[in-house]
């Protein structure tokens, strides 16, 4: 098994090659070995807890944006009033929704 790890390390090193074909083939071979032997990838202690940066945009892929209500209005989900200057989710073509009426998973609650 130590030979397999040494081989994976060598292939990963080779994947940084300036020769793109060599780099691609090394990456593929390393990935195949990792999968074949169920190699477990781990982070060094100093990088544990490191995560990808959170998206900076408040715009979601489905067209809803989190904003502060500029005007009073009515929630398209619960039909209750929305007060000016409260946090809402807003969509150009769908309207406004209370923060709590819009689930963070991106799925709107079921219509009543
Ligand atoms: Zn609502």
């Amino acid at each position: 098994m130590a030979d397999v790890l040494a081989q994976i390390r060598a292939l990963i090193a080779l994947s940084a090659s300036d020769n793109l074909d060599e780099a691609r083939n090394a990456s593929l071979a390393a990935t195949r070995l990792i999968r074949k032997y169920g190699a477990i990838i781990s982070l060094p202690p100093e990088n544990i807890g490191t995560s990808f940066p959170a998206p900076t945009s408040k715009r979601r892929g489905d067209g809803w944006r989190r904003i502060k209500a500029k005007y009073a209005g009515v929630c398209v989900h619960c039909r209750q009033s929305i007060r000016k200057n409260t946090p809402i989710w807003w969509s150009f073509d769908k309207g406004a929704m209370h923060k709590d009426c819009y689930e963070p998973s991106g799925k709107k609650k079921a219509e009543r």
Side-chain angles (χ1 to χ4, degrees), residues 46-93:
E46 65 269 23
N47 285 344
I48 290 178
T50 302
S51 60
F52 291 104
T56 53
S57 173
K58 292 174 182 171
R59 181 189 292 262
R60 298 183 63 91
D62 59 6
W64 288 92
R65 295 174 64 186
R66 196 182 65 203
I67 61 170
K68 193 187 278 188
K70 290 178 187 163
Y71 313 101
V74 175
C75 173
V76 296
H77 176 73
C78 68
R79 302 288 172 199
Q80 302 293 307
S81 63
I82 292 174
R83 289 178 17 216
K84 186 178 174 181
N85 291 327
T86 57
I88 59 166
W89 284 88
W90 176 84
S91 163
F92 177 77
D93 53 346

Side-chain angles (χ1 to χ4, degrees), residues 9-55:
R9 282 194 197 101
L11 287 167
I12 289 173
L14 201 56
S15 72
S17 169
D18 289 333
N19 181 327
L20 289 182
D21 287 329
E22 188 176 59
R24 186 183 312 115
N25 290 340
S27 300
L28 184 62
T31 305
R32 284 184 174 153
L33 285 178
I34 288 167
R35 292 183 63 178
K36 179 177 178 183
Y37 291 97
I40 296 169
I41 312 293
S42 66
L43 288 173
E46 65 269 23
N47 285 344
I48 290 178
T50 302
S51 60
F52 291 104

